Amino acid sequence: MWRSRWRNCRSGIRWLSSATSAAARGHLADEGDWSYVSEWWSDGGDTVFRSVSDHGNGVVSVVAYPSSRPPAEQWPAVERSIQRRYEKLHPESEHDGRLKIVGYQWRVLRFNENTRQSTAKIMAAYRNSDPSSLFLMQQPHCLAVPYLKSMVSAGLTALASSGYDLSGAVTGKRSMKILCVGHGGGSLPLFLASKIKGASVHIVEIDPVVVMASVQAMGFPASAVTETSDKLSFDQSSYVDEVLWERMHERLFLHRSDAEDFVLNCRDIYDLVFIDAYDGDDIFPHKLWDRQGPFLESLRSKVHPVHGTVVVNLHSDSEVLSMDMKDYSLCQSILPMSRYISQVRKAYEEHFGLAFFFSVPWLCNITLVACSGMGLGINGRELDKNLVLNALISKCYLVEFVLGLPFPCLPYIKRGFMSFD
């Protein structure tokens, strides 16, 4: 979830586009570039999912918008690629698996009709042998919002700086365990699973309506859901699993659970943890940063003691908004630092040893990174800011190259690093 730095984000689109495009030169084409924000940031669109949450998220809806990319002339190549996968899996049936792409769309998950919680791009297609069928596949390579790119850049560069063998995990030569607290539309766990072959990604989401929205309307694989019930029942297709996801879904585990309960009861040790959990009132639950609470104490024991890294998405204006202030301009006076942000940082620093921030370009979001600090140039508990920043910068190219990222890490690290005394 994110907040725009200005009420009307569209006023800055032209500047954002030129800045992002310049930063992305030399990288793969990024279909999630911020220059495409005008395609899905509007009051129009078609509502394709709507339900009421019993877990504090209010009215949960998904709104669809046309996507300009990839262009229609590229669709046949995608169809042929899918057909080749099917023929490899089912050599006895050459034609039954042929898909026809209907188009690509942006899908925006909203809480209470207003808050944009998550944005993803989906491909819609039907099976030639069954024109009434319809399959939705979220495009895992596409991260549409800058704060997710900030979280990925900060988390992976910090992990690599600790001496972790990131190349081995990416190629699948070594296993990697990732935990995502908060699901939304599922774009972050899908991105990680698609880029890191050795990764098993566990996702925790308390709200079954959010899970249902991500599967039914945002193209998240249904087979990743570990719990089925009256509230969570999907028409799972082995065809979709095998052909569209190429077994990537087998490394995704979506748990319908309270985050605190999950962390207290799980037995895994995680290499990387992402926390992006907000309710319908746009509040980051206090129990996820309570110094004396069981969540942080237990999380510390479930993260690798040497290289384990925790990444948290925070709203730098959350404190103002939670106090029901009507004048939004007041939040600008406390950006980028606030008492709320400082308290969260201190809580994570107390449990993990080191915590530092990155401001997210163009948004009122802050990326918090917490880790032991090994390999990042700290002396005891003292933070040498220059050593930390230089260590992270030195790993930017490695992360970009090894993962084949469509966006550069450096702008999110160098320009966004924030130090506190």
Side-chain angles (χ1 to χ4, degrees), residues 238-255:
S238 60
Y239 171 80
V240 174
D241 293 344
E242 293 178 350
V243 179
L244 293 185
W245 293 109
E246 294 187 276
R247 304 188 70 176
M248 189 177 76
H249 62 285
E250 296 176 358
R251 297 184 286 108
L252 290 163
F253 305 90
L254 176 49
H255 307 271

Side-chain angles (χ1 to χ4, degrees), residues 24-271:
R25 289 193 187 107
H27 289 260
L28 302 173
D30 183 8
E31 292 184 21
D33 190 90
W34 192 238
S35 60
Y36 297 111
V37 66
S38 60
E39 294 187 354
W40 52 264
W41 191 295
S42 71
D43 295 328
D46 298 316
T47 299
V48 294
F49 179 93
R50 180 183 172 88
S51 186
V52 178
S53 166
D54 294 328
H55 291 269
N57 290 323
V59 176
V60 177
S61 61
V62 177
V63 181
Y65 302 88
S67 172
S68 62
R69 295 197 54 173
E73 56 265 26
Q74 295 180 10
W75 299 358
V78 177
E79 293 169 351
R80 289 192 296 270
S81 176
I82 294 173
Q83 177 64 17
R84 285 194 294 269
R85 286 183 230 158
Y86 182 84
E87 292 173 357
K88 184 178 180 180
L89 291 166
H90 304 281
E92 73 285 354
S93 304
E94 295 185 4
H95 303 292
D96 289 347
R98 201 176 300 274
L99 280 184
K100 183 69 175 178
I101 294 176
V102 179
Y104 290 81
Q105 288 184 333
W106 296 105
R107 295 287 175 98
V108 180
L109 178 67
R110 294 186 177 187
F111 289 167
N112 289 322
E113 308 291 344
N114 186 26
T115 302
R116 293 170 177 83
Q117 203 281 340
S118 182
T119 299
K121 179 178 288 188
I122 62 100
M123 178 189 75
Y126 66 88
R127 198 170 181 174
N128 271 0
S129 59
D130 182 11
S132 64
S133 63
L134 181 66
F135 304 109
L136 301 181
M137 180 189 181
Q138 189 173 146
Q139 302 301 282
H141 59 275
C142 182
L143 293 178
V145 189
Y147 88 83
L148 290 175
K149 295 175 181 178
S150 174
M151 294 180 76
V152 168
S153 299
L156 291 177
T157 53
L159 185 66
S161 297
S162 70
Y164 180 80
D165 180 16
L166 185 60
S167 298
V170 169
T171 58
K173 294 180 179 179
R174 67 170 296 169
S175 62
M176 180 181 188
K177 287 191 177 295
I178 301 175
L179 174 63
C180 295
V181 177
H183 178 59
S187 56
L188 179 58
L190 280 174
F191 183 86
L192 295 168
S194 70
K195 294 294 184 181
I196 307 174
K197 293 182 179 179
S200 295
V201 185
H202 292 256
I203 312 113
V204 181
E205 172 58 54
I206 192 173
D207 194 342
V209 174
V210 172
V211 174
M212 198 179 334
S214 73
V215 173
Q216 293 184 356
M218 302 191 75
F220 191 84
S223 58
V225 181
T226 61
E227 172 194 337
T228 56
S229 64
D230 293 339
K231 291 185 177 180
L232 288 175
S233 179
F234 308 108
D235 180 17
Q236 299 189 24
S237 169
S238 60
Y239 171 80
V240 174
D241 293 344
E242 293 178 350
V243 179
L244 293 185
W245 293 109
E246 294 187 276
R247 304 188 70 176
M248 189 177 76
H249 62 285
E250 296 176 358
R251 297 184 286 108
L252 290 163
F253 305 90
L254 176 49
H255 307 271
R256 215 284 290 175
S257 173
D258 174 77
E260 184 175 273
D261 292 342
F262 181 87
V263 170
L264 287 172
N265 295 313
C266 77
R267 297 182 179 180
D268 290 316
I269 300 298
Y270 292 99
D271 303 298

